[in-house]
Amino acid sequence: MTYPEKLSAIRKQMQADNVQAYIIPSADPHISEYLPDHYKCIPFASGFTGSAGTLVITADFAGLWADFRYFEQAAEQLENSGFELVKQKVQHAPEYIQWLIEKLDNGAVVASNEKLLSLLLGDLFTQQFSVKNISLANKDYLSAIWENRPELPNQSAFLIPEKHIGQSVSSKLAEVRSALSKQGAAYHLISSLDDMAWLFNIRGNDVSYNPVVLSFALINQDHAKIFINPDKLSADDKAQLLKEGVEVFDYEEIEDALKRIPENSSIFIDPKRNCFAYAKLIPKTVRVIKDTNPSTQLKAIKNETELANTRNAMVKDGVAITRFLKWLSENIGKTLITELSAAAELRKFRAAQEGFVGDSFNTISAYKAHGALPHYGASEQSNSEVKAEGLFLVDSGGQYFYGTTDITRTIPMGNNTEEEKTDYTLVLKGMIDGCKSRFPKGTCGYQIDAITRKPLWDYALNYGHGTGHGVGYFLNVHEGPQVFNPTATPVAIELGMITSVEPGIYRPGKHGIRIENLVNTIKDVSNEFNEFYAFECLTIAPISTKIVKKNLLEQNQIDWLNGYNALVFEKLSPFLNEDEVAWLKEETREI
């Protein structure tokens, strides 16, 4: 079926059910960011492949609500699909709700597959639609028209030994149960796959880039039950889980388990990380406590084993990045290099490192104007040749058995303009100021975000994405609860949190610049004013100084840059051959 034919088939079902609007979010029953193929509903229905967006269909309009990261991609992919791009003003905001309220008549029916709606979003629909008596119906209009729909993944999963992760499952369960007691909750439902992976020391291959497994958990003070395809786990792993106090049930049994929660008891549910449909299965007499999963906060604070292993992963990753940068510098203009071939070469260098599992996200390999698309993904159609001029942005990361990496470097290829040099230097100033921040205990991410943006604001420049996100330990490259962005999210930056610092400048049709390091929050000084924290730079890879305008940098920024590149040389040179050491020495020389 073509996309217009699929749209027509959806509208026929809507008409038969007297539904005036249908919403298709980018999600699965675990409210994941990265989806198994079975739940890639937006690409199936419209052709749009971005990682965030929402389709809204009415009788006379079909639109994709997406933020600025996807404007050009969406405009291209939606052509002749029957869907139009609706440009969101605020990232992740469900702006289509107000649009529907204004467009629909009083008493209209809006439908969606409620397994793909978060509890938070479902509650928001119910609340805001009530102003016009608009009702919400649970409908799946895709399964009937989705021929050869991919099955749910069935790859094997495995447990990580406690010695490699620093904490046993039973001790993690004890911490979660302590948090539940403080909340007065008898039960706890967990659906988010990274929380599942952390809590039960389990990893798998069910989702691209994130080493997670489709599963749920239901916990009380006496029992911990996980719901997973039992064939994914070995007999030894099941025995180990049982030893830790965890019983294994079939994936589909979660629905009956929720229906059987005792009347008049209580359950703790994270409204952002559980689906609306499953929350509705809980008996109405059960008191529902809505708050962030305790494991989300616990997972974000890395223990000493996780931090030590992550530092090791960063060195391995830095070796791969250095070899890639050297290869690029020595081959550009001599052999054909494209965005896709460069990304493939980088992956080869990573794959040669011990413990490498795979990429932590789809590599953004973006030359010249493509760099102005923050979430650009090179395809056979868009694949540009990389030449010895302009700027080449590479945002990539690796999953290792002992950590997760995420790094962006913008590489001057030659003959750079004054504008490119200025923009590069200003982004570097912002990244440096973010990384060298000293801040009092209790500081939140939006304050770090402002510190990082200040050098760009001074020149009336800005960027539309957040400055930083949390990063997991051999887990999701995007994790919370901390985030560095302008939203006043009341989450303090705690010791042991790993977060990215990645400011940028994007000039459509010209170039994009982003420079990114991962940092770990550490103790700095303590005095009568407060306890102060700082950042340890975890990412170990050279930052090019070829086009830096030194006159735009303050002395403390120059000192930081020289010190950082000296540290890179010190950490990486023992793992490089003589030619690589010579190249890196030149790349990291002081300015």
Side-chain angles (χ1 to χ4, degrees):
M1 298 175 74
T2 65
Y3 296 120
E5 287 171 342
K6 293 173 185 177
L7 182 56
S8 176
I10 291 170
R11 283 181 168 140
K12 286 180 181 178
Q13 295 176 81
M14 291 168 58
Q15 186 176 21
D17 290 339
N18 193 28
V19 166
Q20 282 70 53
Y22 189 60
I23 299 172
I24 305 175
S26 177
D28 62 7
H30 306 273
I31 316 302
S32 305
E33 176 186 12
Y34 291 95
L35 305 173
D37 289 345
H38 181 82
Y39 286 110
K40 291 182 178 178
C41 299
I42 291 179
F44 166 77
S46 70
F48 173 68
T49 60
S51 61
T54 303
L55 297 180
V56 178
I57 301 168
T58 65
D60 56 7
F61 181 80
L64 167 75
W65 270 252
D67 64 56
F68 89 104
R69 296 172 296 170
Y70 305 105
F71 287 171
E72 291 193 36
Q73 176 185 347
E76 178 182 323
Q77 292 182 328
L78 294 179
E79 190 173 356
N80 300 319
S81 69
F83 288 87
E84 296 180 28
L85 170 64
V86 181
K87 297 181 178 180
Q88 284 183 211
K89 297 179 178 65
V90 180
Q91 192 173 343
H92 302 304
E95 296 169 359
Y96 52 86
I97 295 179
Q98 188 58 41
W99 181 85
L100 284 169
I101 291 172
E102 293 172 1
K103 181 174 180 62
L104 298 180
D105 293 333
N106 192 68
V109 178
V110 174
S112 186
N113 183 345
E114 293 181 355
K115 286 186 177 182
L116 311 185
L117 297 180
S118 69
L119 174 56
L120 181 68
L121 190 55
D123 285 346
L124 189 63
F125 284 172
T126 303
Q127 174 191 347
Q128 296 199 11
F129 285 159
S130 65
V131 299
K132 287 185 72 172
N133 296 312
I134 297 172
S135 59
L136 182 63
N138 183 17
K139 300 288 184 181
D140 174 8
Y141 290 148
L142 298 186
S143 293
I145 63 172
W146 196 333
E147 295 180 6
N148 302 313
R149 183 173 188 172
E151 298 293 329
L152 290 177
N154 58 7
Q155 294 95 326
S156 296
F158 58 94
L159 300 185
I160 301 179
E162 180 184 337
K163 65 180 181 179
H164 295 317
I165 211 158
Q167 192 175 5
S168 67
V169 173
S170 57
S171 68
K172 290 179 178 181
L173 283 169
E175 289 184 328
V176 170
R177 285 171 171 142
S178 175
L180 296 180
S181 293
K182 292 175 184 176
Q183 293 276 2
Y187 289 83
H188 180 32
L189 170 65
I190 302 176
S191 300
S192 44
L193 302 183
D194 56 336
D195 286 293
M196 288 292 303
W198 177 85
L199 183 56
F200 298 102
N201 290 350
I202 189 171
R203 300 293 190 273
N205 303 285
D206 285 356
V207 179
S208 297
Y209 309 118
N210 297 335
V212 294
V213 188
L214 295 183
S215 53
F216 300 94
L218 193 58
I219 301 167
N220 63 20
Q221 293 297 332
D222 301 314
H223 298 95
K225 300 177 179 179
I226 65 171
F227 300 84
I228 185 174
N229 179 346
D231 294 337
K232 290 178 179 290
L233 295 171
S234 69
D236 287 346
D237 283 345
K238 291 176 189 174
Q240 178 60 35
L241 285 171
L242 192 58
K243 186 178 177 182
E244 299 270 13
V246 181
E247 297 179 88
V248 176
F249 294 85
D250 192 87
Y251 181 73
E252 303 293 341
E253 292 184 52
I254 182 62
E255 297 187 19
D256 287 337
L258 290 171
K259 294 174 185 176
R260 293 197 304 268
I261 291 176
E263 299 266 344
N264 301 312
S265 61
S266 56
I267 187 168
F268 186 103
I269 294 183
D270 188 329
K272 292 182 180 179
R273 298 172 177 85
N274 285 280
C275 73
F276 193 48
Y278 284 178
K280 289 170 70 174
L281 296 176
I282 298 167
K284 295 189 183 303
T285 60
V286 173
R287 183 168 64 97
V288 176
I289 302 164
K290 299 175 183 177
D291 206 343
T292 303
N293 286 334
S295 51
T296 298
Q297 179 73 21
L298 295 168
K299 167 169 55 66
I301 299 173
K302 309 307 188 266
N303 62 44
E304 286 305 317
T305 299
E306 291 171 323
L307 288 171
N309 287 347
T310 296
R311 293 185 188 102
N312 183 31
M314 294 295 174
V315 171
K316 300 286 188 185
D317 209 60
V319 168
I321 292 290
T322 298
R323 287 174 174 158
F324 168 73
L325 294 174
K326 179 177 181 290
W327 167 84
L328 184 66
S329 68
E330 293 175 346
N331 288 277
I332 196 70
K334 299 176 183 177
T335 184
L336 176 65
I337 298 175
T338 68
E339 293 168 331
L340 287 176
S341 69
E345 199 69 25
L346 174 53
R347 195 181 196 282
K348 287 180 186 177
F349 286 119
R350 275 203 174 97
Q353 299 301 310
E354 178 190 8
F356 178 75
V357 177
D359 295 335
S360 58
F361 57 95
N362 186 37
T363 296
I364 299 171
S365 177
Y367 181 57
K368 283 196 170 181
H370 285 161
L373 308 174
H375 276 218
Y376 172 73
S379 66
E380 293 295 341
Q381 292 73 35
S382 69
N383 190 24
S384 292
E385 180 182 353
V386 181
K387 300 179 181 179
E389 62 180 21
L391 296 172
F392 181 32
L393 186 155
V394 181
D395 186 350
S396 66
Q399 292 287 7
Y400 298 82
F401 281 116
Y402 40 83
T404 299
T405 69
D406 181 3
I407 174 176
T408 308
R409 292 292 184 263
T410 301
I411 308 156
M413 302 307 298
N415 297 321
N416 295 101
T417 66
E418 287 302 306
E419 182 179 63
E420 288 171 341
K421 293 175 183 177
T422 298
D423 285 352
Y424 182 91
T425 306
L426 294 179
V427 170
L428 181 57
K429 280 170 67 75
M431 202 278 291
I432 291 172
D433 283 359
C435 287
K436 71 179 185 64
S437 297
R438 169 185 283 168
F439 51 95
K441 180 180 180 179
T443 294
C444 295
Y446 57 89
Q447 295 165 293
I448 304 298
D449 180 87
I451 290 170
T452 306
R453 290 178 193 267
K454 177 66 164 56
L456 281 72
W457 288 348
D458 287 343
Y459 287 77
L461 297 168
N462 202 7
Y463 48 95
H465 57 74
T467 292
H469 55 84
V471 177
Y473 174 74
F474 184 28
L475 254 181
N476 294 8
V477 76
H478 292 158
E479 76 167 24
Q482 84 276 22
V483 63
F484 297 169
N485 70 22
T487 306
T489 304
V491 176
I493 308 305
E494 302 284 359
L495 297 173
M497 284 182 168
I498 297 176
T499 318
S500 68
V501 178
E502 47 181 311
I505 292 175
Y506 308 96
R507 295 189 184 273
K510 292 183 177 181
H511 61 258
I513 300 165
R514 187 165 62 254
I515 305 172
E516 173 189 18
N517 276 0
L518 300 188
V519 296
N520 167 42
T521 310
I522 59 174
K523 289 183 178 180
D524 189 19
V525 297
S526 185
N527 55 33
E528 67 270 31
F529 296 100
N530 206 329
E531 185 176 347
F532 283 81
Y533 293 164
F535 290 134
E536 166 199 9
C537 269
L538 294 173
T539 302
I540 305 293
I543 296 175
S544 177
T545 59
K546 289 184 177 66
I547 61 171
V548 169
K549 287 189 167 183
K550 191 174 177 180
N551 64 304
L552 295 181
L553 297 179
E554 298 171 18
Q555 188 58 49
N556 63 73
Q557 295 166 335
I558 294 170
D559 292 343
W560 185 96
L561 179 60
N562 287 335
Y564 175 78
N565 272 338
L567 176 68
V568 168
F569 182 80
E570 175 192 338
K571 293 283 189 181
L572 299 186
S573 56
F575 302 96
L576 302 173
N577 64 35
E578 187 176 340
D579 286 346
E580 292 164 346
V581 168
W583 182 89
L584 183 60
K585 187 172 184 178
E586 176 63 22
E587 189 72 8
T588 57
R589 65 185 174 88
E590 289 191 357
I591 63 167

